[in-house]
Amino acid sequence: MRPWALPPPLLPLLAALQLHGAPQRNVLLLLADDGGFESGAYNNSVIRTPNLDALARRSLVFQNAFTAVSSCSPSRASILTGLPQHQNGMYGLHQDVHHFNSFDGVRSLPLLLRQAHIRTGIIGKKHVGPEAVYPFDFAYTEENSSVLQVGRNITRIKMLVRKFLQSQDERPFFLYVAFHDPHRCGHSQPQYGPFCERFGNGESGMGWIPDWRPQRYSPGDVQVPHFVPDMPAARADLAAQYTTIGRMDQGVGLVLQELRRAGVLNSTLVIYTSDNGIPFPGGRTNLYRSGTAEPLLLSSPAHTGRWGQVSQAVASLLDLTPTILDWFSVPYPTYSIFGRKEVQLTGKSLLPALEREQPWATAFSSQSHHEVTMYYPMRAIQHQQFRLVHNLNYRMPFPIDQDFYVSPTFQDLLNRTRAGQPTHWDKTLHEYYYRQRWELFDCSRDPGERHNVAADPRYAVVFERLRSQLLKWQWDTGDPWVCAPDAVLEEKLSPQCRPLHNEL
């Protein structure tokens, strides 16, 4: 029996109780788009996020939660399947020329919940496919609407949540509200500002979002993360991001108010998190802590004893699928994707942490692409205070994505580097582009992950232990890159990793 699963004899009984008189259980999953720790709940004293702060007071607040991949579509697919990107097939971004999709045989969370007679809904940014793998009963996404309207217009989001709840039948529900805030938009809709912070603010040509009260910030006041250059351009960028986060925060409040009005808030598990790191240097597309650490609030009406408490236990966004299945008492099926090895969830249910603090200490990450041209496969493990990153393509420069490239922060960094001027960054562009194959960081002594100790003999035992753990997870999850970059995977031979003798 998997550690998060309920004993099989209890599953039909619990399902029957839920359908015949026991309090109905629902789930609301709130997802930020490229959001970070810019909230009062995570000790940012500048930004005003009263709704997230209020939710945190009703939640267990995780301090060590990590995404399984620092890229949008792969992260969303991992959240909705419980499988890393290399196992579910969503190797990179889903849309347009990128066109990545999950494998047809993947059993996603919405698919499993539909089969268990739980109503599913999605409002906002979907960014995963194919439809047959990710079916929702109620869907307003970029596939049938403007993503600005269903992902940033919080009045529209409020009304769609109301529509979903008013059309609710006797089934429990899973509602996934995926905000498009605070994702950058300067590359696609530059008229709205670098973070679409002007969209809907009532100015000429910007439209008007009736429920939004825009908050503006001085660049001199923002809190600059250690991995972002502390320069005027980056500060102005962060100030715009804060305004956009404020819109999302007010949207969170509107969504929760709709649940309250419908009388279902006190029967709903509410989860808030983000898909990947913020779109700044060292953030999104990186498997460092700055690119993978995520906010995670878990609010259960059945576990008020831990409301407002902070957990140091390590959590992964791969844990969300088993957590939600556990909440609904839905078992994970026995199946294989390609008719070979049985699929196993490597995540865990987070519900035990709502009872008492847990000793969880490990999280894994896996990345292959962001955009289709951004091939830079990486695998990583966070264990206790240590992080080990394996850069498989380490002899090539680290790639830069389109919307980040045109951002004010990165353009300022490029210009200052070309002119030989100080960047006020914690590394050079050359160091950022060109990395060692193995990077090991002792985050207790080096929280900024600046000093690679992989070759330090004092850390040899730690290095080998983490490398073995990471390799085992790759084998357990059917990682096609498990033998790379210096060997080829031949599954019918023994040993399966056949050396290339390519001087790596």
Side-chain angles (χ1 to χ4, degrees):
M1 185 177 67
R2 299 182 181 94
W4 57 267
L6 291 167
L10 290 180
L11 292 170
L13 173 62
L14 287 171
L17 287 172
Q18 191 172 72
L19 293 174
H20 298 93
Q24 184 166 287
R25 286 188 161 199
N26 310 299
V27 171
L28 170 66
L29 174 58
L30 300 164
L31 189 71
D33 195 358
D34 292 1
F37 296 95
E38 301 80 16
S39 69
Y42 282 95
N43 300 318
N44 186 312
S45 60
V46 176
I47 196 168
R48 298 184 294 278
T49 52
N51 298 287
L52 285 173
D53 299 350
L55 178 60
R57 290 191 291 271
R58 291 172 51 94
S59 302
L60 179 62
V61 180
F62 285 86
Q63 293 283 11
N64 292 293
F66 300 93
T67 182
V69 50
S70 192
S71 176
C72 181
S73 296
S75 179
R76 292 160 194 266
S78 294
I79 289 170
L80 292 175
T81 64
L83 308 177
Q85 56 85 26
H86 63 251
Q87 189 174 20
N88 72 58
M90 189 71 69
Y91 299 143
L93 298 182
H94 168 64
Q95 88 285 2
D96 300 332
V97 298
H98 311 310
H99 199 60
F100 290 101
N101 280 284
S102 288
F103 300 126
D104 293 341
V106 169
R107 309 286 181 89
S108 73
L109 182 63
L111 186 67
L112 296 176
L113 295 181
R114 170 184 281 187
Q115 293 170 350
H117 306 292
I118 294 163
R119 186 169 181 245
T120 61
I122 179 172
I123 298 167
K125 186 175 177 179
K126 187 178 182 183
H127 216 208
V128 294
E131 170 67 22
V133 173
Y134 299 98
F136 287 88
D137 300 318
F138 179 99
Y140 285 83
T141 72
E142 73 277 6
E143 294 180 353
N144 57 16
S145 309
S146 161
V147 72
L148 293 178
Q149 295 298 330
V150 297
R152 298 191 196 264
N153 184 338
I154 59 175
T155 298
R156 175 73 170 145
I157 293 168
K158 175 188 75 173
M159 298 309 297
L160 288 172
V161 171
R162 184 176 300 177
K163 182 177 181 178
F164 174 81
L165 294 173
Q166 288 178 343
S167 61
Q168 178 63 18
D169 52 31
E170 74 283 353
R171 292 173 293 171
F173 68 78
F174 166 67
L175 178 59
Y176 173 37
V177 179
F179 294 95
H180 195 21
D181 286 331
H183 194 286
R184 288 188 182 276
C185 76
H187 66 300
S188 55
Q189 295 102 6
Q191 69 272 25
Y192 295 129
F195 280 93
C196 269
E197 70 279 3
R198 299 176 63 199
F199 173 72
N201 70 0
E203 296 176 2
S204 177
M206 296 297 105
W208 180 50
I209 301 174
D211 287 295
W212 181 34
R213 301 295 177 264
Q215 302 158 324
R216 295 177 177 84
Y217 295 87
S218 168
D221 294 336
V222 299
Q223 293 183 4
V224 182
H226 70 86
F227 54 91
V228 175
D230 191 353
M231 295 300 292
R235 284 183 166 272
D237 232 0
L238 288 165
Q241 181 211 31
Y242 279 22
T243 296
T244 306
I245 289 171
R247 180 170 55 208
M248 181 191 69
D249 174 78
Q250 293 174 39
V252 167
L254 293 172
V255 172
L256 294 176
Q257 181 61 28
E258 289 302 312
L259 267 64
R260 190 175 291 109
R261 289 177 69 255
V264 295
L265 184 60
N266 289 331
S267 59
T268 301
L269 177 71
V270 179
I271 304 169
Y272 168 79
T273 188
S274 181
D275 53 352
N276 46 246
I278 62 175
F280 284 86
R284 186 186 65 194
T285 74
N286 287 273
L287 290 193
Y288 302 128
R289 184 182 182 96
S290 50
T292 59
E294 302 300 335
L296 178 59
L297 307 179
L298 195 62
S299 177
S300 165
H303 302 85
T304 59
R306 294 214 73 186
W307 280 9
Q309 294 187 14
V310 173
S311 175
Q312 299 297 334
V314 172
S316 166
L317 298 194
L318 291 175
D319 300 336
L320 296 189
T321 282
T323 298
I324 294 168
L325 292 177
D326 193 4
W327 179 260
F328 284 123
S329 301
V330 173
Y332 193 70
T334 299
Y335 78 104
S336 60
I337 296 176
F338 296 114
R340 299 193 295 267
K341 187 175 182 180
E342 179 183 332
V343 174
Q344 301 276 352
L345 292 179
T346 56
K348 58 192 176 293
S349 171
L350 298 174
L351 297 188
L354 297 174
E355 299 283 352
R356 62 187 64 86
E357 185 69 352
Q358 299 296 316
W360 304 323
T362 307
F364 297 94
S365 300
S366 166
Q367 185 142 338
S368 298
H369 290 264
H370 180 66
E371 295 162 4
V372 68
T373 56
M374 293 176 63
Y375 180 65
Y376 199 87
M378 300 171 285
R379 305 295 182 261
I381 175 175
Q382 176 82 36
H383 179 69
Q384 297 174 343
Q385 77 267 33
F386 299 105
R387 172 171 292 267
L388 179 66
V389 180
H390 186 192
N391 299 305
L392 280 69
N393 216 33
Y394 68 101
R395 287 194 173 182
M396 294 296 290
F398 187 79
I400 304 298
D401 60 276
Q402 291 174 321
D403 65 339
F404 175 50
Y405 179 82
V406 299
S407 71
T409 297
F410 191 71
Q411 284 298 306
D412 181 67
L413 185 57
L414 280 178
N415 292 335
R416 289 180 176 276
T417 299
R418 282 197 296 260
Q421 298 172 350
T423 62
H424 296 272
W425 195 25
D426 64 359
K427 61 183 69 176
T428 66
L429 263 183
H430 181 86
E431 291 172 327
Y432 189 67
Y433 289 148
Y434 296 97
R435 308 179 179 191
Q436 298 297 310
R437 175 172 176 176
W438 295 97
E439 296 180 284
L440 175 63
F441 304 105
D442 182 348
C443 301
S444 63
R445 298 184 176 185
D446 177 26
E449 297 179 327
R450 289 290 297 118
H451 306 289
N452 180 12
V453 296
D456 189 330
R458 294 172 296 179
Y459 288 89
V461 173
V462 172
F463 175 78
E464 289 301 329
R465 183 171 71 244
L466 267 60
R467 185 165 69 166
S468 295
Q469 285 182 264
L470 181 58
L471 189 63
K472 180 181 184 302
W473 180 73
Q474 290 182 262
W475 283 112
D476 289 344
T477 55
D479 187 353
W481 282 264
V482 68
C483 299
D486 43 14
V488 170
L489 175 62
E490 294 285 357
E491 294 181 333
K492 296 183 179 180
L493 300 179
S494 181
Q496 292 182 319
C497 289
R498 315 299 289 187
L500 286 167
H501 303 292
N502 58 5
E503 301 178 11
L504 296 180

